[in-house]
Each structure stands twice: as structure tokens, then as C-alpha cells.
Amino acid sequence: MNNLKKGILFATLFSGLFFISCSNDSSEELIGNWVKKSAFDGPARSSATSFVIGDYAYVATGYTGDVYLKDLWSYNSTGDYWEQKADLPGIGRSSASAFALNQKGYLGLGYDGTNKLKDFYQYDPSSNTWAQKTDFAGTGRYAAVGFQAGGKAYFGTGYDGNYLKDFYQYNDQANSWTLVNGFSGNKRRNATAFVIADKVYLGTGINNGVYQEDFWEFDPATEAWTRKRDIDKDTEDDSSYNDDYAVVRSNASAFAMNGLGYVVGGDNIKTIWEYNPITDLWSEKTPMEGATRTDAVGFAINNRGFYMLGRTGSTYFDDAWEFKPLDAQTSNDN
């Protein structure tokens, strides 16, 4: 073979390999599938809150754009249907906080259109009744996080006219609140939190118009906060980061399943990111297949993740979705 032919053959092979490589990079698809579930039976809303007991999720309160709500709905994850339950006895509200503790649901805080609230209620699913409990010990506030881990339950952060970073533990036996060890992170409202192996992971949110980049692990056994890798983009001194990190956001939703955490949606965002607590790294999954939304609700039931409600501008949603992180994306199941 003469030199001219060799050169042509080499150039052809090289360009072919280059084309294949570029094609593979550009066509790499994210993993995860969104499946549409039974639509929420109550009015479309944003800024609702939720707690999970057994096979059921309970979604309560929120704002329709006109009315602050006090209704409660249960979602049967096995049968994929909704049932209305007893209304919250307190005032209707949005941006409340909630958790489940010892087979009871707890809900408090929020905003009623005029006031920042601090009242607090217990829901008993066995009798479908509410009971008012001791008011939250901190200031009245909204857009705080609520969580339970290791049998201990907490409210913290939020907005009371100022951005906050304090945390209080609730003791259901004594019906009392206790201020706990200081959180070293930044003040914020509309953060997200999820629980993996009795440890809480908290991040995102906003403070004075700035999205927060710090990310924290809380161990209720020691009441110690440990700072993890920030959730911003790559830094020059840490090559383990993904250059395309875009986890920072506010008004998002979160849940955990199968030992991994998920943060989805938020202000003008429909992406979802998966957190691995072993590696302390994030990976992007298939974006939400419904409309982009903020102030939605996210929860997990028996290692199944759900995302629903929320709003875009003045449009309020009542659709519900399940996220399957290991499945390839398909469009014929929606």
C-alpha cells in the first residue's frame, strides 16, 4: 500500500473513531424514569407539607393562589388512591413543617397570609383525630425543615422576618421543645432535608437572595453537625467533583430511598440529583417529566419516591409522580 493510500486510510479510521466518540458523549442518557400516578384529589396547591406513616403518606395544608388550606389527605401507595381525612383544627396555612414520630404525624409553623405561625398539632391516623400540642419553642416562622431520625424529631431554619439557623427537638413523651446544639451552617429558608440510616442530610435553600452551597450531615445520637462537600460546581482543588454540578437551588423537594438521597425541582428547575452518603458525591438523573415547578411535595414510602403538587407562577398543580431511579426513561407510562 503506497503512502497516499495509507494516509487516507488512517484519516478515515481516525475520523470514524472521533465521530463514534463524540456521538457516544453527546448521546449519553441519564438514568431514571418518572411514572405518573393518581392525581391528588384535593385542590391544586403549592407549599403543602407531608409526613409518612407505614404505607401511607399524608399531605396537608398549602396555598391555592386564593385560599390558605387546612385539609389533610392520605395517599395509599399500594392501591394508588387518595382519601380525605380530618381537617387540621388550626388556621389554614402554607409553608408549614411536619414529621412523623412513633406512628403519629406532627404539623406546625407556616404562614396564614398575615402571621408567621408557631402552633403545633399531632395527628393520630388510627382515630383520624388531631390534638393541639405545646407551641413550638422558637419564633413563629415558615419555610422551615422538619424531620425525624433515630426516634428524635426536629424543626429548624426558616424565616420569621429574618433568616434562621436554629434547631429545636420535640419530645413527644414530655410534650416539650428543647433548643439543641448550634448548627454551623448558613441561615436559610426553603431548604431540603432527607434521612439515610438515621442521619439527616440538609442543604439548599436561600438567604437574602443567595442560593446556599453548604451541605451538612446531622447525627441525632450525638447532636453533631458535620460539613460535607459543598453542592456547588467543581473546585480546582478537588478533582472528584462533577464539573456540571447544579444542585444549588431553593424551594425544592427531597426524599431518600435505598440508601440514597434525592433533591428535585425548585425555582425554575426540574432536574433531580442523587446523593451517595458513602462517597459524598452527587449524580444527575432523568429530569422531572411533568411541568417545571416550585414549592412541591416530595416523600418516600417503603423505598419508593414520590413528587407532586407545586406551582409555576400563578399556575397550581395537582399531578403526582413516582421516580424510579434505576429504570431507563420511557414516555409511554405517563
Side-chain angles (χ1 to χ4, degrees):
M1 185 179 293
N2 60 39
N3 289 337
L4 177 59
K5 290 182 177 179
K6 287 181 179 178
I8 293 172
L9 177 60
F10 178 81
T12 302
L13 289 171
F14 180 82
S15 63
L17 289 171
F18 180 80
F19 176 78
I20 291 171
S21 176
C22 288
S23 297
N24 286 344
D25 287 344
S26 62
S27 63
E28 183 178 354
E29 295 183 356
L30 299 174
I31 298 299
N33 190 39
W34 292 89
V35 179
K36 201 167 190 178
K37 309 302 290 184
S38 175
F40 180 67
D41 279 8
R45 68 192 65 194
S46 70
S47 303
T49 191
S50 66
F51 52 86
V52 174
I53 300 175
D55 294 333
Y56 294 85
Y58 296 84
V59 176
T61 66
Y63 182 59
T64 67
D66 296 306
V67 178
Y68 290 91
L69 301 164
K70 56 191 294 183
D71 53 348
L72 173 69
W73 298 80
S74 72
Y75 175 65
N76 183 310
S77 59
T78 302
D80 187 29
Y81 63 86
W82 294 88
E83 290 183 316
Q84 187 167 11
K85 300 297 183 179
D87 284 359
L88 177 75
I91 193 169
R93 67 195 67 202
S94 68
S95 301
S97 303
F99 52 73
L101 178 65
N102 296 327
Q103 302 303 306
K104 304 286 196 305
Y106 292 87
L107 186 155
L109 313 183
Y111 180 69
D112 67 359
T114 303
N115 302 302
K116 302 170 186 72
L117 306 172
K118 61 186 298 181
D119 52 342
F120 184 61
Y121 302 86
Q122 178 198 75
Y123 176 72
D124 185 345
S126 64
S127 60
N128 187 31
T129 57
W130 290 91
Q132 186 165 6
K133 297 296 182 177
T134 300
D135 282 359
F136 176 64
T139 56
R141 66 188 68 190
Y142 65 88
V145 295
F147 53 78
Q148 181 269 128
K152 297 179 180 180
Y154 303 83
F155 280 162
T157 68
Y159 186 77
D160 68 353
N162 295 296
Y163 294 85
L164 301 165
K165 56 182 284 187
D166 52 346
F167 278 85
Y168 291 80
Q169 181 189 342
Y170 178 68
N171 183 320
D172 61 334
Q173 301 302 310
N175 185 27
S176 63
W177 294 91
T178 304
L179 180 67
V180 297
N181 288 347
F183 168 53
S184 299
N186 297 331
K187 298 177 180 180
R188 69 195 71 204
R189 63 168 174 80
N190 294 107
T192 55
F194 52 81
V195 178
I196 301 173
D198 286 337
K199 290 185 173 60
V200 181
Y201 296 87
L202 183 146
T204 71
I206 195 167
N207 182 332
N208 292 306
V210 178
Y211 292 137
Q212 299 303 294
E213 299 176 349
D214 52 336
F215 187 64
W216 295 83
E217 177 190 85
F218 175 64
D219 185 347
T222 60
E223 291 191 351
W225 291 93
T226 303
R227 187 163 184 169
K228 313 301 284 185
R229 285 189 179 97
D230 287 358
I231 56 175
D232 58 351
K233 294 183 184 296
D234 185 29
T235 56
E236 293 181 0
D237 59 350
D238 190 346
S239 61
S240 63
Y241 269 113
N242 182 330
D243 289 340
D244 298 320
Y245 262 28
V247 187
V248 292
R249 62 194 65 196
S250 180
N251 300 74
S253 303
F255 51 81
M257 53 181 173
N258 298 312
L260 301 168
Y262 297 87
V263 171
V264 56
D267 291 336
N268 302 312
I269 299 174
K270 63 192 304 182
T271 56
I272 180 168
W273 287 79
E274 177 186 87
Y275 177 70
N276 186 327
I278 297 175
T279 62
D280 190 24
L281 293 172
W282 297 80
S283 58
E284 189 175 5
K285 298 296 181 179
T286 302
M288 164 65 178
E289 293 179 42
T292 302
R293 67 196 64 200
T294 186
D295 296 319
V297 171
F299 53 79
I301 307 174
N302 296 327
N303 286 314
R304 296 171 60 195
F306 297 88
Y307 180 63
M308 60 192 64
L309 309 180
R311 66 176 177 87
T312 295
S314 60
T315 301
Y316 291 78
F317 301 110
D318 60 7
D319 54 342
W321 299 78
E322 180 177 359
F323 180 62
K324 299 182 179 248
L326 302 179
D327 291 0
Q329 191 275 330
T330 60
S331 300
N332 60 2
D333 50 10
N334 297 327

